[in-house]
Amino acid sequence: MSDTWTATDGLGRTLPTFAEVGGPRTNRVVALFYFLWLGRHGEAGPFDITKILAGRPGLVEQPEHPAWGPLQAPHHWGESVFGYYVAEDEAVLRKHAQMLADAGVDLLVFDVTNQLDYPESWRALCRVFSEIRASGGRTPQIAFLCPFGDPGKVVRALHAGLYAPGVSPELWFRWEGRPLILADPELLGESFHQARRDHPARLEPGHTLGQSFEATRAFRSVGLSAPTWMATNAAATVRLRRGDAAGEIVAEKRFQGVRDNAWLSLDTSAAPPGPGVWYLEMSDPQGSIGWWSTTNDVLRAGESHVDGRPAAGDRVIRVRWADPEADVLREFFTFRKPQPDYFSGPTGPGEWGWLEVFPQHVFTRADGASEEVAVGVAQNAVDGRLSVLSNPASRGRSFHAGREPRPEHQDFLGHNFNEQWERALKLDPPVVFVTGWNEWIAGRFKSPSGFYGDGPVTFVDEFNREFSRDIEPMAGGHGDAYYYQMVANIRRYKGVRPVPRVRSQPVAIDGRFEDWAGVLPEFRDTLGDPVQRHQRGWGAGSGYTNTTGRNDILLAKVSASEEAIFFYVRTREPISPSTDPNWMLLFLDVDGDPRNGWLGFDYVVNRTRAGKGSARLQASQGVGYEWRDHGEVWFKVAGNEMEMAIPRSMIGLRPGSVAIDFKWADNIQQTGDWSDFTLNGDAAPNDRFRFHAQF
């Protein structure tokens, strides 16, 4: 029940509770864009842009400076709290599964838009996630966002490597009864495409535009590209005729609400027309609409027409050939066509966005019902055009109310992210797609890069702390602020369960634990998560080793009497000797005020022991990791169980109704930083989270 855990981030923002957001809401899915490519595009470096520019921001005007890595080489915008890791780092994958399940993320959507499907990476993740599930743990499920324009190669590779062999089917995210994949199903098979365009031919009322073409084999669809001169109320009828402008009508459709440059395609898959000469016709316009064309004659067998009579040049046309293998894919998956554009919204039903500028559009199902809204941390957009995040006018993390603030006014509050979440919460679709978790790298380009607003040194999708869009905690900088901001908004979107009230029973601290059987609830921790990491890192000779994981904390309980508060904890294996360093620490927040104490904790037990079976209770000296002795408390350990009593008077709790937050941690390194709970030993609950006991 991680949705009942409490937390306050480093900016003083506390997670919403049941009283604020209500109970769990059904049919609400959070998808998170996830990246598999770390270490798959070369490992020179790492070249950390934040460190490269530290103290010398003028380097963005000096593309030949030796501080930069090679052109096109991946550069990190900053450093993850887990270091410069590679995609198959199993310790990081386990931590990702834990953090994202705790946050309420249901689905990871893998980025395979650049024609590579990264099988080594997804196989490693599937292996780790399946192991977690087999041992009783939780993970998000998975799907893929494929190339926008030509997804066939990647969809085929994923089907052949993952889906057809049945690799980790428990991880497949199913939508409408079948595995979801984000790809345009119309683009799966082979096609014939006349793509040259140099002018838009306007369709006037009472007239027709046409294009004849020769099919060399059966085809399942044929379509045209329609300019609307930015009008949004355009409509037209498209017909397929046999032979010529006077031929039999084989298929037709009225297209309404056409967006600029949309493809108007006729589906002929039910009875694919065969080889021969065919005629595509556009008629009955509404609003401003036309057909992209070229003045050149580029089709050997075909010509453009106006009102059924031949005209100079040819028109843009796309014919999809019948393809049995592609038909198998269309039957296997549930498809949602990904919309690459940040600005225009859906061009029709059955599409999903992945990143948009505020205010985002709602994407709909075939029946017109709301289905999905995109939420992003930042957007590489300037002046209503696709741009680069190395442009200081882009929409960074601090962008809001229509403007990007100057550097001195940029902060860690996630204004852009909040603005987008507020829009999504207002629209309240069944799916929210969040971009993103762990992109971290971008290739270096120099002008001209082909992107609007580029510069001498150009990074398209990531640049620095402000102009980046990763939620995964970073080392330094904003830390874990965006993670808890995401958690808070997921709770607002999905609701949470109420915290169960503690059912206390009389407890004796005697090393016999039968008297705890009737105490509820059980405050459970993730299974199998004490930190053990042995993995190569990014770059030659780099690596990460962490063996601080020791006692695997399974669950805790709390009970109360008029005189004392009692604590119980159970581990997977027998608890290690109490002489071990950093042994079984218990942190307490007894006043509910996150502004005082270390990370809001007022007391800690077990930093030092007073003697056999006793430990020192220490009180916080302020907000830093400084403590002073406050008394002695008693505990008992037997096997994998431990119990402890703390007199109410020692921690300032009067008899009667009371609530406290508590946290167990074993072999954290006591660095005094929030990341200690994330990186070392085992913490129950995980990261900054705390258990909330309401008596």
Side-chain angles (χ1 to χ4, degrees):
M1 298 176 66
S2 58
D3 58 336
T4 67
W5 300 347
T6 62
T8 300
D9 70 10
L11 302 173
R13 301 176 297 188
T14 298
L15 293 179
T17 64
F18 174 81
E20 298 166 78
V21 302
R25 306 175 68 213
T26 59
N27 301 320
R28 290 296 179 272
V29 173
V30 175
L32 180 63
F33 210 21
Y34 188 98
F35 296 82
L36 300 169
W37 65 348
L38 296 174
R40 296 297 174 199
H41 291 271
E43 293 184 57
F47 307 110
D48 186 320
I49 299 170
T50 297
K51 294 176 180 177
I52 290 171
L53 293 179
R56 45 186 182 185
L59 250 61
V60 294
E61 305 296 329
Q62 303 174 48
E64 306 304 326
H65 196 283
W68 296 113
L71 280 173
Q72 283 82 51
H75 285 55
H76 287 74
W77 67 260
E79 183 180 4
S80 163
V81 71
F82 305 114
Y84 302 106
Y85 63 88
V86 294
E88 66 269 27
D89 190 324
E90 293 198 5
V92 173
L93 293 174
R94 286 184 176 277
K95 190 62 185 178
H96 284 177
Q98 178 194 86
M99 295 180 75
L100 298 177
D102 290 346
V105 172
D106 305 287
L107 166 63
L108 301 185
V109 179
F110 298 147
D111 178 17
V112 290
T113 56
N114 58 3
Q115 294 294 343
L116 296 173
D117 65 311
Y118 306 110
E120 302 91 347
S121 299
W122 60 251
R123 286 184 189 279
L125 183 142
C126 286
R127 181 176 62 254
V128 170
F129 278 28
S130 291
E131 289 173 357
I132 292 171
R133 287 187 168 224
S135 66
R138 300 176 300 143
T139 76
Q141 293 178 292
I142 64 170
F144 294 82
L145 174 54
C146 300
F148 299 105
D150 185 15
K153 170 191 168 186
V154 168
V155 174
R156 282 178 166 83
L158 292 171
H159 183 262
L162 173 66
Y163 293 101
V167 177
S168 301
E170 73 280 6
L171 299 180
W172 304 349
F173 181 80
R174 289 172 169 83
W175 195 244
E176 297 178 349
R178 295 183 291 184
L180 174 72
I181 197 163
L182 273 62
D184 186 347
E186 287 301 311
L187 304 183
L188 292 183
E190 295 182 4
S191 67
F192 157 73
H193 191 184
Q194 193 305 96
R196 291 188 59 176
R197 61 181 70 187
D198 51 45
H199 76 280
R202 188 182 294 269
L203 177 61
E204 301 292 349
H207 295 270
T208 66
L209 299 175
Q211 176 69 43
S212 63
F213 64 96
E214 181 180 17
T216 58
R217 48 179 158 151
F219 57 96
R220 68 181 317 277
S221 70
V222 58
L224 60 90
S225 180
T228 67
W229 291 268
M230 302 305 292
T232 58
N233 63 341
T237 299
V238 178
R239 298 183 179 90
L240 176 66
R241 296 180 180 271
R242 191 182 304 276
D244 57 25
E248 171 196 2
I249 298 174
V250 176
E252 73 174 292
K253 182 178 179 180
R254 180 71 175 171
F255 293 89
Q256 303 277 4
V258 178
R259 292 184 178 271
D260 199 26
N261 301 322
W263 279 95
L264 311 185
S265 294
L266 297 175
D267 183 356
T268 60
S269 59
V277 177
W278 300 88
Y279 184 82
L280 192 63
E281 177 185 85
M282 187 183 199
S283 65
D284 307 315
Q286 174 186 308
S288 298
I289 194 166
W291 191 337
W292 275 107
S293 306
T294 176
T295 55
N296 298 307
D297 288 316
V298 293
L299 286 182
R300 180 184 59 81
E303 56 186 346
S304 67
H305 290 69
V306 176
D307 296 334
R309 294 186 292 274
D314 284 304
R315 308 200 189 282
V316 172
I317 189 172
R318 185 172 64 196
V319 181
R320 290 281 166 191
W321 307 121
D323 183 339
E325 183 182 353
D327 290 340
V328 169
L329 300 176
R330 294 186 184 98
E331 288 298 317
F332 182 84
F333 292 105
T334 293
F335 286 88
R336 288 297 181 264
K337 177 183 175 182
Q339 165 60 285
D341 189 83
Y342 298 174
F343 313 99
S344 63
T347 61
E351 298 182 5
W352 281 13
W354 71 283
L355 187 65
E356 288 201 301
V357 298
F358 176 86
Q360 311 96 282
H361 300 84
V362 63
F363 289 75
T364 62
R365 301 185 320 204
D367 62 4
S370 166
E371 185 169 69
E372 186 256 5
V373 170
V375 167
V377 173
Q379 303 82 31
N380 49 313
V382 176
D383 300 332
R385 299 170 66 179
L386 183 66
S387 184
V388 298
L389 274 178
S390 52
N391 185 322
S394 274
R395 299 186 175 213
R397 295 175 185 259
S398 301
F399 181 95
H400 67 290
R403 58 182 293 272
E404 173 66 26
R406 293 178 58 83
E408 61 268 24
H409 299 299
Q410 295 166 358
D411 55 38
F412 299 167
L413 291 171
H415 300 286
N416 191 333
F417 201 25
N418 264 344
E419 196 171 61
Q420 295 234 327
W421 265 111
E422 288 169 5
R423 171 71 172 168
L425 294 172
K426 180 179 179 180
L427 294 171
D428 194 27
V431 180
V432 171
F433 188 122
V434 180
T435 294
W437 178 248
N438 62 332
E439 190 169 5
W440 286 112
I441 56 174
R444 180 172 79 89
F445 300 91
K446 63 180 180 180
S447 184
S449 67
F451 288 90
Y452 175 72
D454 65 0
V457 176
T458 291
F459 295 92
V460 179
D461 292 317
E462 304 279 1
F463 180 55
N464 59 15
R465 195 214 63 79
E466 170 66 16
F467 295 103
S468 55
R469 56 193 185 207
D470 291 325
I471 297 167
E472 182 181 48
M474 72 175 296
H478 55 246
D480 57 357
Y482 286 84
Y483 173 69
Y484 286 99
Q485 184 180 11
M486 178 179 72
V487 175
N489 281 295
I490 289 175
R491 290 188 176 190
R492 295 182 180 104
Y493 173 61
K494 297 175 70 172
V496 300
R497 287 167 284 194
V499 178
R501 297 296 179 106
V502 172
R503 189 173 76 188
S504 293
Q505 297 286 338
V507 172
I509 306 302
D510 55 7
R512 300 170 61 186
F513 305 100
E514 296 88 349
D515 47 5
W516 284 97
V519 176
L520 293 174
E522 292 181 349
F523 296 90
R524 298 178 180 172
D525 185 43
T526 305
L527 304 174
D529 63 335
V531 177
Q532 297 290 329
R533 187 181 185 189
H534 306 274
Q535 180 63 49
R536 70 183 181 92
W538 186 295
S542 66
Y544 295 97
T545 298
N546 186 327
T547 59
T548 57
R550 187 172 57 199
N551 293 305
D552 188 359
I553 301 169
L554 297 186
L555 65 89
K557 293 185 178 185
V558 188
S559 189
S561 70
E562 292 296 301
E563 295 78 28
I565 308 294
F566 303 89
F567 295 89
Y568 168 89
V569 64
R570 184 191 305 164
T571 59
R572 174 175 284 188
E573 303 292 338
I575 299 173
S576 66
S578 62
T579 53
D580 284 349
N582 309 312
W583 181 80
M584 298 300 291
L585 290 88
L586 174 64
F587 293 90
L588 302 175
D589 177 2
V590 300
D591 63 5
D593 187 350
R595 296 168 297 180
N596 58 30
W598 177 69
L599 303 184
F601 290 113
D602 306 301
Y603 298 96
V604 62
V605 182
N606 257 344
R607 287 189 70 243
T608 60
R609 269 161 297 286
K612 185 176 181 180
S614 67
R616 304 305 300 178
L617 171 74
Q618 295 181 312
S620 173
Q621 290 280 68
V623 295
Y625 200 76
E626 298 177 2
W627 310 89
R628 57 178 171 81
D629 280 349
H630 195 67
E632 186 176 1
V633 298
W634 296 90
F635 66 85
K636 288 287 186 180
V637 178
N640 67 336
E641 296 174 285
M642 175 179 176
E643 59 186 353
M644 176 187 301
I646 301 178
R648 285 176 178 265
S649 59
M650 291 183 67
I651 52 178
L653 293 180
R654 295 189 300 272
S657 179
V658 70
I660 62 172
D661 283 0
F662 70 99
K663 186 182 193 76
W664 287 94
D666 179 68
N667 209 23
I668 63 170
Q669 300 303 287
Q670 302 198 66
T671 63
D673 190 69
W674 65 268
S675 62
D676 202 3
F677 288 136
T678 294
L679 296 176
N680 298 309
D682 189 21
N686 308 313
D687 307 303
R688 282 187 195 260
F689 289 112
R690 303 120 159 264
F691 294 132
H692 183 72
Q694 179 71 52
F695 296 97

